[in-house]
Amino acid sequence: MSFTIVEPARFRLNRSQLFVPGIRPELLPKAAKGAADIINIDLEDSVPVAEKPKARANVVKALSEVDFGDKTVSVRINACDTHFMYRDLVDLIEGGGERLDLVMLPKIGTPADIYAVDMLVTQIEAAVGRKKKLGFEIIIESALGMANVEAIAAASPRNESLHFGPADYAASIKARTVGIGGFNADYAMLADAQPDGSRPLHFGDPWHFALSKIAVAARARGLRAVDGPYGNFSDPEGFKAQARRSVSLGYEGKWAIHPSQVALANEMFSPTEAEVGQAKRILDAMEQARKDGLGAVTLDGKLIDLASIRQAQVMVQASAIIAGRGA
Ligand code: COA
Ligand code: MG
């Protein structure tokens, strides 16, 4: 390890985050009874400008009236370039009580954006005597945010997670797509002619760079990396494929923009029984290796070493926490 010790953000189960527009408060009790790890009530892009004050009032009311059980509750506020943002924070923290766990900050571009929000949150928390410090979920969804993602990740001790917002990001970099996440048939290479004359098309993942960059920036600061929305909620197989890809890059969860995506995210971001079983076998084999004075040994014809212990421990710990949650 480096001499620099990275403190992990406070642990939360973060496989699925269900979004509920602040102008549809009747959906909140349903969302609270479902299986999402985090409920994100939205004041930003699912709320038209004329409805912002109403949505804000709905959210403050819901925070004291809806039974959210053991769920993490987050509210996505408006961005720093709007005049809605300060009022969102003031009303939520002054009127929302202690039930609010996190605020989600959209369209963050620089560490100074986080600094400004942190200052405001700190003042309001102190003024109302809030006991629990609010954490920040940060969406990286612009070229500026991506260029500054490492400094953004380090900008406040309130930071808990970085999220990828594919729709705004595509708009910001002027990528030619109107999908929200998902496949892009234009992102492909035409292979040279094969011996039989055919020229296969090889598709790539247009989100790979953004996802990898965010995952590394997040993990370097002990934050969770969370993949954003898959807009086509009528395509569960597509959702699962994208989630599986994100898992392999180090992502811990994914947004659900429809309740049907919650179970899919929980499934994809929970280690399988076979994976946990194999992780336990690795830990047993490495314990035996330690007793034998060895650091690297063979299991099922493959090398395992001290790094394998760390990978296996992550999996076993995650499965124990999920089992405790009951879903
Ligand atoms: N949270 C909780 N329940 C929801 C829900 C949500 N976000 N979206 C839909 N439901 C409920 C509906 O009330 C309905 O319940 P019922 O069977 O008891 O009547 C059921 O789930 C099926 O809903 P459906 O008719 O398929 O969806 P819809 O047409 O009402 O809404 C969306 C579809 C996409 C508009 C809606 O899910 C939504 O607003 N999602 C969040 C969007 C958002 O916040 N975006 C910002 C982040 S990208
Ligand atoms: Mg967005």
Side-chain angles (χ1 to χ4, degrees):
M1 289 296 166
S2 165
F3 190 56
T4 298
I5 304 298
V6 177
E7 287 298 328
R10 193 209 129 121
F11 179 82
R12 296 178 195 278
L13 216 46
N14 201 159
R15 298 165 300 169
S16 52
Q17 305 206 198
L18 177 59
F19 275 75
V20 182
I23 38 169
R24 295 186 70 188
E26 71 283 2
L27 298 181
L28 285 170
K30 292 186 203 179
K33 283 196 198 78
D37 292 335
I38 300 183
I39 308 289
N40 283 93
I41 316 174
D42 186 30
L43 294 177
E44 200 217 7
D45 281 356
S46 69
V47 176
V49 165
E51 301 296 321
K52 297 286 186 194
K54 177 87 186 95
R56 204 185 275 136
N58 291 340
V59 175
V60 170
K61 190 159 175 276
L63 285 171
S64 55
E65 290 182 0
V66 175
D67 178 5
F68 288 101
D70 63 355
K71 293 197 184 314
T72 295
V73 179
S74 176
V75 175
R76 181 167 76 168
I77 63 170
N78 288 284
C80 291
D81 64 334
T82 72
H83 65 273
F84 303 115
M85 186 273 270
Y86 84 95
R87 178 58 61 195
D88 290 344
L89 285 173
V90 171
D91 286 6
L92 280 174
I93 305 172
E94 286 190 352
E98 296 279 331
R99 192 56 191 84
L100 184 63
D101 299 298
L102 303 168
V103 280
M104 176 174 266
L105 312 178
K107 301 183 177 70
I108 291 298
T110 71
D113 288 339
I114 303 284
Y115 188 84
V117 176
D118 194 351
M119 182 202 66
L120 193 51
V121 168
T122 301
Q123 289 194 16
I124 311 167
E125 279 186 346
V128 300
R130 204 184 135 92
K131 294 185 195 70
K132 214 167 65 179
K133 256 174 130 39
L134 278 172
F136 291 166
E137 301 183 294
I138 296 160
I139 316 179
I140 301 297
E141 52 184 342
S142 64
L144 186 62
M146 193 61 77
N148 290 319
V149 65
E150 288 161 15
I152 288 169
S156 167
R158 293 181 189 272
N159 289 358
E160 289 200 11
S161 50
L162 297 187
H163 300 242
F164 178 50
D168 276 304
Y169 180 70
S172 173
I173 62 168
K174 302 201 188 305
R176 199 165 68 181
T177 173
V178 289
I180 297 183
F183 176 69
N184 187 338
D186 289 339
Y187 198 71
M189 295 288 280
L190 188 62
D192 291 342
Q194 303 297 293
D196 67 357
S198 68
R199 298 196 63 190
L201 199 57
H202 288 271
F203 296 111
D205 175 356
W207 313 111
H208 178 79
F209 164 79
L211 286 167
S212 292
K213 189 162 166 130
I214 291 173
V216 173
R219 297 306 189 184
R221 295 292 170 175
L223 311 184
R224 301 184 288 277
V226 183
D227 190 13
Y230 185 74
N232 184 359
F233 64 80
S234 311
D235 176 18
E237 289 310 315
F239 180 98
K240 281 171 46 169
Q242 294 234 332
R244 198 178 295 115
R245 169 280 321 256
S246 302
V247 171
S248 68
L249 291 177
Y251 277 72
E252 215 158 312
K254 188 161 172 61
W255 295 10
I257 48 87
H258 187 271
S260 62
Q261 293 181 331
V262 170
L264 304 175
N266 285 351
E267 179 194 339
M268 300 314 295
F269 289 93
S270 302
T272 64
E273 265 180 47
E275 285 167 337
V276 176
Q278 181 63 5
K280 287 181 177 161
R281 287 185 66 225
I282 289 172
L283 292 178
D284 289 346
M286 287 307 298
E287 177 56 18
Q288 186 58 47
R290 187 186 65 78
K291 287 181 186 152
D292 297 341
L294 297 169
V297 289
T298 304
L299 181 67
D300 304 331
K302 295 179 195 138
L303 166 76
I304 57 170
D305 65 12
L306 295 175
S308 313
I309 299 184
R310 292 187 283 276
Q311 290 175 334
Q313 279 170 340
V314 167
M315 209 166 272
V316 172
Q317 277 164 3
S319 93
I321 291 159
I322 292 163
R325 175 85 156 60

